[in-house]
Amino acid sequence: VRRGCGLCVALDAPDLASAERWAEAAAPFAGLLKVGLELFSAEGGEAVRRIARHRPVFLDVKLHDIPNTVAGAVRALAPLGPAWITIHAAGGAAMVAAAREAAEKAAKGGNDADRPRILAVTVLTSLDAAALAETGVAGGPVQQVLRLARLAVSAGADGLVCSPREVAPIRAALGDGPALVVPGVRPAGSAADDQARTATPEEMAAAGADWVVVGRPITRAPDPAAAARAIAAALAA
Ligand code: C5P
């Protein structure tokens, strides 16, 4: 039996004041709010603390370093209270395991439900087969996504960030266990912006996504709350 699919709103703002306005508008319809590298670099931990007052935070910092350093970063981020922290699966199994272990040790009162979940990014969607080959990866994106997805989940990642077209193959390969979080989602009829391959919220819910990440169709809408409400309703239908 599949679980439902929730809405995560990407608060891609250069400053906390704008992000908080969007958070306030979207919070009644969103299960998660995403703080990315731009906002985190500008405002630091305060961005996570403040946004977390509205909804649980998906902290998209895509950590990638030696295991000891990544563990230290997860340890430092955990007290800010993010529900999810992203790491790069390409950092290797030991790095993924170190992130998971640091997250478990940071669980408040030893309660596992209260720790940050570790979400692994496989291949950046900005890399096509040619760009990937330049980095020494010959097999093409899909093969590499599945390889890194398996590696990350067996090393302890709680879930994966993936593109719309990867949801079905990853579910087929890895089953219902890992949480799948999917950006590049656009409601039918809305602008693609710079997203090359998009899918609708309904398609992603049917394919087995747990969360869809939507930014600009909500944050740039004349009425962000109405835009978020419509997407949440589509996911619930
Ligand atoms: O505005 P939009 O809905 O395109 O925002 C999507 C969000 O998801 C952005 O924060 C973007 O950085 C993130 N993302 C993405 N594609 C990926 C990984 C992350 O669009 N492959």
Side-chain angles (χ1 to χ4, degrees):
V1 182
R2 287 231 42 83
R3 42 200 187 243
C5 183
L7 171 61
C8 173
V9 179
L11 306 174
D12 292 319
D15 61 84
L16 192 45
S18 318
E20 276 219 280
R21 272 196 304 277
W22 293 338
E24 219 158 278
F29 314 105
L32 283 176
L33 297 170
K34 184 165 96 77
V35 172
L37 268 182
E38 182 184 9
L39 183 58
F40 188 71
S41 301
E43 305 274 4
E46 187 60 11
V48 181
R49 283 192 212 96
R50 294 263 293 273
I51 298 300
R53 291 183 199 159
H54 300 272
R55 279 288 170 197
V57 167
F58 170 19
L59 182 55
D60 192 13
V61 285
K62 296 189 178 71
L63 303 174
H64 189 172
D65 209 313
I66 60 171
N68 186 59
T69 300
V70 167
V74 170
R75 218 165 25 244
L77 293 170
L80 303 174
W84 296 90
I85 297 172
T86 53
I87 63 172
H88 269 287
M95 191 207 84
V96 175
R100 168 70 182 256
E101 195 188 332
E104 283 182 2
K105 284 193 184 140
K108 285 177 226 138
N111 180 0
D112 194 64
D114 266 340
R115 68 172 172 86
R117 308 273 130 184
I118 300 297
L119 206 54
V121 173
T122 57
V123 177
L124 295 173
T125 48
S126 49
L127 297 173
D128 60 10
L132 209 52
E134 283 178 352
T135 72
V137 175
V142 179
Q143 204 181 313
Q144 183 68 357
V145 164
L146 287 175
R147 179 203 304 274
L148 288 175
R150 280 200 191 89
L151 175 153
V153 169
S154 45
D158 296 289
L160 301 156
V161 182
C162 65
S163 81
R165 65 194 170 123
E166 291 153 7
V167 174
I170 290 178
R171 276 282 173 244
L174 294 180
D176 278 347
L180 297 187
V181 180
V182 187
V185 172
R186 290 290 178 270
S190 84
D193 303 305
D194 57 352
Q195 297 285 8
R197 270 176 292 269
T198 64
T200 65
E202 296 89 329
E203 286 167 340
M204 289 300 91
D210 293 287
W211 296 96
V212 293
V213 180
V214 183
R216 287 161 293 179
I218 293 170
T219 57
R220 308 289 180 215
D223 183 348
R229 183 192 305 118
I231 295 171
L235 286 172

